Amino acid sequence: MGEFSGHLVGNGEMEETEEEPSLCVFMRYHCEEYLKIQSCTARPPDKMPSPITAGLHCLFLLVTACCQTSQDSNFSPFIPYIFDSTLGQDIFQSAMQRQKQNLLSFDLPPLEYTIDIEVSLMDSSFLEPIREYFRNLSLPVSTNISDVEITNINITTVCLSSGDNNSCCSCENGYAWPSAVCSGLVACPSVSLEPALPCGYMKEMPFYGPYCEPQTKDSCGMGEPIVMIMSVRLNISFQDDLGDPSSVLYNKYKADLEKAFNASYRCLPGFVSATVTGFRPGSVIVNYEVKAGAASFSQIANSNRIVPQFLDAYYQLDQATFTIEMTNHTNFTVIPVDIFQGDTVKLICEINSTSENVTWYFSNQTITTNSRYLIEAKASRSILTIKNTTIHDSGSYKCVFTKRKSLHTLVFKDTKPIEVSLLNISSNFNNIDVTCNNPEMQTNSPVLSCCIDRHLPSLTGDWKVNGTINISGVSSFSENCTEYKLNINESLCPPKDSGAVTTYTCELRTGHGARGSRDIRVTYLRRANVKISSAVNSVSEGHGFNLTCESDISNYDSISWKIQSGNNTKTVDCDTCINSSFSAMSVLTVKAATLAWNGTFICTFSQKNLESSANKTIQVFSLPLKQNIMINPIEAPIQCNKPEALQCCIRAHSMEDYNVTFMVEHKEVPFEKEVRGNLSCYTYNYMESDCSKENLTASCKFFNHIEQGVESEFIRLNLIDGNKVSCSDNLGSGIEGSTLIKPCYNLNDPYGFTQGRKTYTCSNKSWKLKADECLSVAINNVLTEAESLVRSPEPRANLPKYLEELKNTVRQEQTTRNISSADLGTVVVILDKISPIPANATETNIENFLCIVDMIVANSTTAVWETLTEKNISIRSSLLQSVEKFCLHLQPVNNTIPPVSASTLQLQGLVTKNNTDYNKNFVSTENLTVNVYIGETEIQTLTHNSVIVSVMYSSFGRILSLNEPESVNGLLITTTVQSNSSRQKFDVNMTFAKKNSSPKNRCVFWNFTLNELNGGWDGHGCTSTEEEDYVICTCNHLTSFSILMSGDQSPQSEIEDYITYIGLAISILSLVACIIIESLVWKYVTNNTTSYMRHVCMLNIATSLLIADIWFIVTAALNDQMSKDTCFVATFFIHLFYLCVFFWMLSLGLILFYRLVFILHNTSKTTQKVVSFCLGYGCPFLIAVITIAVTQPRNSYIRTGVCWLNWKDSKAVLAFIIPALIIVAMNLFITTVVIIKILRPTIGDRSNRQEKNSLFQIGKSVAILTPLLGLTWGFGLATVVKNNSRAFHILFSLLNALQGLFILVFATLWDKKIQEALLKRNSMSKWSSQQTKSSSLILVTPMLAMSYPFSRTFNNLCGKTGKYRVSSSEPSTSSTENTSKSYSLLN
């Protein structure tokens, strides 16, 4: 079968005219020629008929059939033309004949030929009859030619003439243009072509094909349609309704435009539809989509050109504004495909035509050339280069090509997303530990590797080594990984560098600029050479030993100690036993060994996961502890030459057979051993023959088989006169008043004895039990266990079980009998022993501890505490300190401190975190409250995960205030902080509810250092603010706080306060006036030595007393608000200046005494001034400084709550009292001398007038000297006498508070010389005669400070025999200048 195409032009008048036909019809015929193949000898097979010959045969038969079949056909004119001009009948027939002659003797399959025939007609009306004819033709059609028939006849292409040698051709139904000519099809411009008609395309005539072919998937316009996004502008105003798809206007525009668009674009290859998608302002921009096959730009332009032909002129469509967006018509490539941060990326965009402009967009933002972006553009290609990409460069990139023509603008767009990834490098290790001196590690060295998650052909990499230990390796590369095999060398890892970290950095590069690295930290370790040593291999119970563990590795992480005994291994968790502060050394110190320490000690140095150990075995042998040796008696009187049984006993269950030595007065004596119950007792009957001795001692020593021993307590024996024995029974002998102390020994007790003692006193010929301090068996047992616990290797692990046992024991003791003071004190001692052991903060542990404290401070134990504090006042401080230590050593569980309550105690706590404060509220069973608040600012100064714990007590404050002048008026709160912070000050705020409505409360804390370390309330560092029923305390430190209520003040006490404050205020004003007056009259009254020294003393007394009074009144008023340091300074100055007052009073008294006694002796003014100032200021300063130096190191310079010298702790106030009383006594003596001098009789009898003058002079002298010499302070002695009258207190306060007033009145204003001097300053003329008289008096009696007549009388009363004549009308008596000088001091 073969195919060929031919053209047949049927035109009967072709010979007569040259006019082109008006219609060309292209037909395709299928002819089949059946040839019977026979044997042929004349022609070879290659001479078979050609396809052209066969086609001509079919054409001939077709025309013949057509002419025969159609009776009214006008085709007859064609036939001659066909035969003559085209076929050549003779040739055709001869050819057919030749074919028949050349047939072979075998059959071949029929051959099928397809023939294209062009038929040109002058009249287009023939087209439809031809179509009809062929539609009605019965096929196949036989021909006259043998074995040839026509199987199919179809019209494929119809062309209509359009002039200018062009025709408008269209395909019949079922046929389409070949894809090869699709892009060159140009629609016919005729507007008369109805839209329903097939689309015609311009063809030049003569048309030689190709013609329409049967429609297939590869035909023109038969591929997948594409959507062209287009727009055009209408030169009309935009209306808002065009933005509303539901409006009438919108739908009218849409319908009209879509009709025009569909008519215009329907001839595009593969056209489907044209749809308006919307309108936008800018006149009116019409957005529409055309769905068609792949059309060329010229085809689209031609369609755009004819749009106005189908659109009403109203729309004013602007043909120059057509814009066509072409998508997916570009070749968009990205290099590299895998993009990593740091790469340089190229985005290449290409189109298949030239372009005028190209623009790049990233996330709808225009990209311009800068330091990171580079744009290269050519006619049809553009390259965007992005340098050093980051993850922020990930996103959508768009290239837009723009090409403008006269009637439209072409826009090519393509978008490509890119993703920039981090070059994630994974390694087989992040951290790896390598033991350098491990043979296996040296043989199989570790391999380090780095990989990425994808394969990159251009990937390269290398390794870098950085560290103290520089161990290199061999690198290799495979696909997406690089490896580095280490070469481990022990010599490169010295012991000092064990634990050093070497960083191996692998760096990978993508080849496009991105690079990444990964660090692998290799910790090089070295197994340590550990040695353990001890001075002993065996030790006895109660004795100590040290184990020293040393390593050649100094920078270890931790050191642990373990004891292995048989199959049991226990960890040593005694923090106080292990000292690891040394470099590469740890020392385990056991102060008092128990059998629990027996075993093999394993010392382990840990560095990372590498452990290096050494061990040593220590044997612990049994030996009784000193406190477990019972001596009987402990202290006893014995008679001379009379035997007394002395015993030492231990519990008999010991496995060791001890060697025992009994010693009396350091001499070994024989003894007898016997077993009494559970005790092994060693007895010696001692008899002293030397009766001159008074006190003797005895003891016994126990030795085990390693020759280590322990000595018992001493038995103290007091020799007595046998003739004076008053008490004699089985306890022993003694005289009246003798003391006998016995152990707590009971043969019926299975434990034999307990700790404690019984004290007996011989009274009325019998021994009376004075004190029973024996512990109960249960308490004694828990005490023994506590001692074993704190000395054990695992105190922390065993503490919870012990707390449970101790709680149950105390509860049982309280239930069965009233707990004794000895037992209660022992429980406090136990708590003090175990409180430093770290305890896990579980509810059970905290509850057990609080319950124990709660039971021993319950109200029922008040009487016991009173008895106990009389014997040992520090016991209450010890208990409070035990609770604080327990809180300080609490170990949080899961970073929490659970709240726990007992009956009278509550505990709350917090593990600090960032941005938090500490705010805890407590409520007691009596509904008293306290709030503890620590601000966020303070919390932030602590280290992370610090622990704050508060404990509230509702009854313990009552015990702390026993024998204190003030009582607790609220709850007691303890707050502790576990932190590595070194802060000394820590602000805490507390709000206490008052128990009683007291007008005055103060905030205090329990200071453990006061009262010779017995503890006491202290208010320093705390300030208080009262608000109705609450007291707000702000303190700058942490410990145990509460509020104290001052005792009720009697009206007399309030009177004394008023007297003190008012009197001091008056005195201060008086002293200021005194100083001012002295300054005004100084030059008038200091014109001789004695008068000068008198006024110097008075001025310094007034100045010192003024300063002291000011300090005193300010300190008293601000006492509660003053800090401890300020109070310290205030106390020093009050002490100093009051001493200055007394010593200047002493100076004044000594000058008076000097003038009274040493009448004829004169001393220079300079000497007197030096002595006075040294005495007045030097001695007080020396005393004040020595007082500080002695008391301050013990923190006992000032007393609690008051800014004054301490009494309880250091007796520092004696540094004021003793000098003051001595000076008062001396001045009292001087005053007595003055009175005696006044009363000394003169020659002859006294007159009544003289007697009266003497009494007046004595009274005035006493009035002047008492305040000046400080005699009023003597009334202070009366105030310290028990059961004294309140009048003494009031009198003492009144006299001393008004001392400044007395000095002003009696020593200044009553002085005639000062009066005259003041008057002289005011009126010289009025007092001129008196000034003359005064001058005369000064010349005669310069020390006399009173009027002349009175001074003469005083001299007479003093009994002087010397006579001086003075200008006076009165008789003169004996007098001397010195006597007058002495008396002037009294004025």
Side-chain angles (χ1 to χ4, degrees), residues 6-31:
H7 302 283
L8 176 63
V9 180
N11 189 346
E13 300 180 1
M14 181 72 69
E15 302 288 339
E16 298 176 359
T17 179
E18 294 182 0
E19 184 180 357
E20 293 185 0
S22 61
L23 174 65
C24 289
V25 181
F26 298 88
M27 296 177 288
R28 177 166 288 189
Y29 304 92
H30 294 279
C31 299

Side-chain angles (χ1 to χ4, degrees), residues 452-672:
I452 62 173
D453 56 359
R454 65 196 76 180
H455 176 65
L456 297 179
S458 58
L459 187 68
T460 60
D462 54 22
W463 290 81
K464 295 179 182 178
V465 183
N466 183 23
T468 305
I469 298 177
N470 190 7
I471 292 182
S472 59
V474 179
S475 63
S476 60
F477 207 89
S478 62
E479 295 185 353
N480 59 331
C481 293
T482 179
E483 295 182 344
Y484 196 77
K485 185 173 183 179
L486 300 175
N487 295 324
I488 304 301
N489 190 339
E490 181 180 352
S491 63
L492 297 177
C493 296
K496 66 182 182 63
D497 292 333
S498 180
V501 176
T502 298
T503 302
Y504 291 83
T505 303
C506 62
E507 185 177 271
L508 296 178
R509 297 177 291 275
T510 63
H512 297 280
R515 63 177 57 199
S517 63
R518 179 81 174 189
D519 290 342
I520 301 177
R521 293 166 55 87
V522 179
T523 303
Y524 287 104
L525 305 175
R526 186 182 179 96
R527 190 173 297 280
N529 181 19
V530 181
K531 297 179 181 179
I532 188 170
S533 61
S534 175
V536 297
N537 295 324
S538 58
V539 71
S540 301
E541 281 188 278
H543 287 67
F545 66 93
N546 292 333
L547 281 170
T548 302
C549 188
E550 296 179 277
S551 167
D552 60 345
I553 304 298
S554 59
N555 52 343
Y556 53 85
D557 295 329
S558 64
I559 301 178
S560 63
W561 289 84
K562 294 182 180 179
I563 303 175
Q564 185 174 1
S565 180
N567 295 326
N568 182 28
T569 301
K570 48 195 171 188
T571 301
V572 179
D573 61 5
C574 174
D575 296 336
T576 59
C577 304
I578 301 173
N579 184 359
S580 300
S581 60
F582 307 102
S583 176
M585 183 172 67
S586 177
V587 179
L588 174 63
T589 302
V590 180
K591 295 181 179 179
T594 64
L595 294 178
W597 291 97
N598 183 71
T600 299
F601 288 77
I602 303 171
C603 169
T604 302
F605 281 76
S606 298
Q607 192 175 31
K608 294 284 188 175
N609 296 321
L610 182 64
E611 294 184 346
S612 305
S613 303
N615 62 76
K616 184 174 182 62
T617 300
I618 300 292
Q619 286 184 292
V620 180
F621 293 95
S622 178
L623 189 69
L625 299 178
K626 190 169 189 174
Q627 63 267 28
N628 292 334
I629 302 175
M630 186 194 78
I631 56 174
N632 186 22
I634 299 173
E635 182 178 346
I638 62 172
Q639 299 181 49
C640 186
N641 295 319
K642 186 175 181 180
E644 180 73 22
L646 306 179
Q647 285 185 337
C648 289
C649 300
I650 61 173
R651 292 191 174 92
H653 56 72
S654 173
M655 300 296 294
E656 183 81 19
D657 187 14
Y658 301 111
N659 294 322
V660 182
T661 302
F662 219 118
M663 307 288 292
V664 177
E665 286 296 290
H666 308 292
K667 295 180 180 180
E668 186 174 346
V669 296
F671 58 87
E672 296 180 357

Side-chain angles (χ1 to χ4, degrees), residues 1047-1229:
D1048 294 335
Q1049 288 187 321
S1050 63
Q1052 290 87 351
S1053 298
E1054 295 180 2
I1055 292 173
E1056 292 171 20
D1057 289 343
Y1058 286 123
I1059 289 173
T1060 300
Y1061 287 113
I1062 296 173
L1064 285 175
I1066 295 173
S1067 284
I1068 290 172
L1069 296 176
S1070 300
L1071 292 169
V1072 171
C1074 180
I1075 294 171
I1076 293 173
I1077 291 173
E1078 284 288 337
S1079 64
L1080 293 175
V1081 300
W1082 184 259
K1083 65 180 180 178
Y1084 301 108
V1085 296
T1086 57
N1087 46 12
N1088 62 74
T1089 300
T1090 304
S1091 180
Y1092 175 82
M1093 289 305 304
R1094 170 181 179 271
H1095 284 281
V1096 166
C1097 291
M1098 283 182 55
L1099 184 61
N1100 281 280
I1101 289 171
T1103 303
S1104 299
L1105 185 59
L1106 175 64
I1107 295 173
D1109 285 348
I1110 291 174
W1111 272 105
F1112 183 88
I1113 197 169
V1114 171
T1115 303
L1118 302 177
N1119 184 71
D1120 293 338
Q1121 287 76 33
M1122 295 180 71
S1123 66
K1124 189 173 183 179
D1125 293 338
T1126 306
C1127 189
F1128 180 92
V1129 173
T1131 302
F1132 172 77
F1133 283 112
I1134 293 173
H1135 182 206
L1136 173 64
F1137 284 103
Y1138 273 125
L1139 283 178
C1140 290
V1141 171
F1142 278 100
F1143 276 92
W1144 275 108
M1145 290 177 178
L1146 177 62
S1147 297
L1148 183 62
L1150 291 177
I1151 292 174
L1152 176 61
F1153 183 77
Y1154 172 74
R1155 288 303 181 191
L1156 286 174
V1157 177
F1158 301 99
I1159 300 173
L1160 301 177
H1161 187 274
N1162 282 321
T1163 305
S1164 68
K1165 182 189 298 184
T1166 302
T1167 303
Q1168 292 186 44
K1169 283 177 62 177
V1170 170
V1171 172
S1172 297
F1173 274 92
C1174 289
L1175 191 63
Y1177 290 117
C1179 290
F1181 182 77
L1182 189 62
I1183 293 172
V1185 170
I1186 292 175
T1187 304
I1188 293 177
V1190 172
T1191 59
Q1192 186 55 27
R1194 294 182 296 164
N1195 197 23
S1196 56
Y1197 177 63
I1198 58 178
R1199 64 179 62 185
T1200 303
V1202 179
C1203 294
W1204 184 231
L1205 299 173
N1206 189 289
W1207 168 252
K1208 287 186 178 181
D1209 300 330
S1210 61
K1211 304 296 187 291
V1213 73
L1214 293 177
F1216 173 74
I1217 293 175
I1218 292 175
L1221 290 180
I1222 291 174
I1223 291 172
V1224 169
M1226 292 177 67
N1227 286 344
L1228 183 61
F1229 169 76

